[in-house]
Amino acid sequence: MRYYRYGRDALFVGLEMLGLGPDCEVLLPASLCEVVLLAFMKRGIRLRYYGLNAGFEPSVDELESRLGPRTRAIYVNHFLGRPTEMRAVRALCDRRGIALIEDCAHAYGATSDGGPVGTVGDIAIFSYRKFLPIADGGGLRVNSIELPLPEALPVRTGTAGWAGAKAAIAWAGGIGLLPLATIQRWRGTVESYLDPQDNLDAGGWIPPAGISAESQVAIRAADMQEVTANRRDNYRLWTQVIAGIKGPRPVFPDLADGQSPFCFPILVEQRDDFVRAMSRHGFYLEPTVAPPYRRIETLENPTEPFPEMQTVADHLVSLPVHQSLTGRQRDRLAGAISAFFR
Ligand SMILES: Cc1ncc(COP(=O)(O)O)c(C=O)c1O
């Protein structure tokens, strides 16, 4: 395992290790956060989207049908903490002699077939700061015996400082633990989230950096079994709350074995109105799942419709399941949600 400032840094290094560059194509799910796409764009890699069903699962047949002479890797994400079934994708990659990249950014602490996620891909990336109260922290795990572990980047000391505090504020805001006014100053307004910009620009890409010393210590000290158990408890409580309200629909029918919830995702018809209403109660709920970004020069299928992903992206909202969420906070949010749908 190698630690970096962010998951995107780990990915950027991992792509280099896999030898991926301008002549290569990678299959990616048609919904990914922009910083992941920027890492590919910065390397000039050609991208081809594949579809997912409304439960974020890929179809292996579809993946196979999209493989072309330049395809060098398939990218699989464990969306929102729910482990994606990897065996069939692994078998496909082995059969075709291409690499498998596993994104565990949403799924730290998750297990699949009894083992931790991140052990099936040739490489796997992590973003610990999405689960732990730390300012930075991403990881690259190298599983393929054909690949050497990259050189470790120096741990940054004394650099978390103000930037770290800002990041922590933004993070706490993102899961609804801080008053809206505090975080609006750092993250922009709710409106900027509801209107994602499609013009990605890799020009301002910051080269990979090492993790801060503080975050590295915190990651090593975290009891992930307990963290995951608490998040699963919060997830179950939301299942009950949402079942009692007419309107919002849970994205996943159940809490899967091994799932380490990133959030409790719901689909809401009037999503934007709902997000604005919650912000007036002081809850900053993120849409979380991006629609397919299309204005990417190296994207092979920019006009292909992906209706399932577009619909999910238009209606999804994340409710917080963070391990430090209190019963009082959850009750207040549940009250605001019930009031909206009444
Ligand atoms: C699925 C996914 N992978 C990777 C990342 C990158 O993680 P980081 O923010 O640590 O760079 C993100 C989001 O930020 C993400 O949503």
Side-chain angles (χ1 to χ4, degrees):
M1 180 63 82
R2 286 282 184 249
Y3 291 112
Y4 296 92
R5 181 181 47 187
Y6 297 132
R8 66 200 78 169
D9 299 316
L11 175 60
F12 188 77
V13 173
L15 295 177
E16 176 165 43
M17 292 179 62
L18 291 169
L20 299 178
D23 300 330
C24 309
E25 184 181 297
V26 175
L27 302 190
L28 295 166
S31 168
L32 272 178
C33 80
E34 60 192 72
V35 296
V36 170
L37 298 171
L38 287 172
F40 284 95
M41 288 165 67
K42 190 68 189 169
R43 292 210 168 277
I45 297 168
R46 307 209 68 81
L47 308 176
R48 185 182 294 277
Y49 285 148
Y50 62 85
L52 301 163
N53 66 19
F56 294 104
E57 292 158 332
S59 137
V60 178
D61 289 343
E62 184 195 326
L63 288 172
E64 184 150 24
S65 73
R66 290 183 186 272
L67 295 176
R70 290 199 293 189
T71 316
R72 297 281 177 275
I74 297 177
Y75 194 90
V76 172
N77 184 25
H78 299 290
F79 277 91
L80 307 176
R82 196 168 172 100
T84 300
E85 164 57 49
M86 298 292 285
R87 271 173 302 193
V89 188
R90 178 73 265 178
L92 171 62
C93 291
D94 290 344
R95 226 170 39 243
R96 301 295 284 258
I98 61 176
L100 177 55
I101 305 172
E102 195 177 351
D103 185 333
C104 308
H106 288 181
Y108 188 38
T111 56
S112 184
D113 293 319
V117 295
T119 52
V120 176
D122 293 276
I123 62 167
I125 65 153
F126 293 84
S127 178
Y128 309 104
R129 69 197 182 93
K130 295 192 185 357
F131 284 77
L132 303 172
I134 50 180
D136 63 349
L140 174 66
R141 195 187 144 104
V142 179
N143 296 316
S144 167
I145 47 167
E146 283 152 33
L147 297 171
L149 203 57
E151 295 248 334
L153 290 178
V155 169
R156 293 174 301 125
T157 48
T159 48
W162 183 228
K166 268 169 75 170
I169 288 170
W171 170 85
I175 60 161
L177 291 182
L178 273 183
L180 183 64
T182 316
I183 54 149
Q184 269 186 343
R185 250 172 281 146
W186 306 115
R187 298 199 76 159
T189 63
V190 167
E191 296 305 325
S192 64
Y193 266 119
L194 294 177
D195 183 22
Q197 299 303 309
D198 198 15
N199 51 341
L200 300 188
D201 177 10
W205 178 266
I206 303 165
I211 195 171
S212 68
E214 298 90 325
S215 297
Q216 191 170 54
V217 171
I219 292 165
R220 289 185 171 148
D223 180 344
M224 279 315 289
Q225 269 192 355
E226 193 180 329
V227 167
T228 305
N230 287 337
R231 296 175 79 102
R232 287 176 64 89
D233 285 347
N234 282 327
Y235 190 102
R236 286 192 199 92
L237 287 162
W238 280 125
T239 307
Q240 292 163 13
V241 170
I242 294 302
I245 303 175
K246 205 162 167 282
R249 285 176 295 125
V251 170
F252 302 121
D254 56 4
L255 178 60
D257 284 347
Q259 186 170 340
S260 178
F262 178 68
C263 60
F264 184 85
I266 53 173
L267 299 172
V268 175
E269 215 41 60
Q270 304 292 330
R271 197 271 307 278
D272 294 3
D273 291 345
F274 175 69
V275 168
R276 289 189 191 105
M278 293 306 104
S279 80
R280 288 195 290 278
H281 287 274
F283 296 106
Y284 199 72
L285 303 184
E286 286 190 16
T288 312
V289 170
Y293 286 96
R294 298 186 181 277
R295 283 202 275 162
I296 298 175
E297 212 181 297
T298 52
L299 180 59
E300 301 285 352
N301 51 346
T303 57
E304 183 174 344
F306 288 99
E308 288 85 1
M309 291 332 292
Q310 188 65 52
T311 305
V312 167
D314 288 346
H315 298 291
L316 191 138
V317 187
S318 285
L319 303 183
V321 294
H322 192 261
Q323 56 274 18
S324 60
L325 191 69
T326 65
R328 201 160 159 262
Q329 289 164 331
R330 204 181 41 243
D331 290 348
R332 269 193 57 222
L333 178 54
I337 296 171
S338 304
F340 179 85
F341 287 103
R342 209 173 288 138

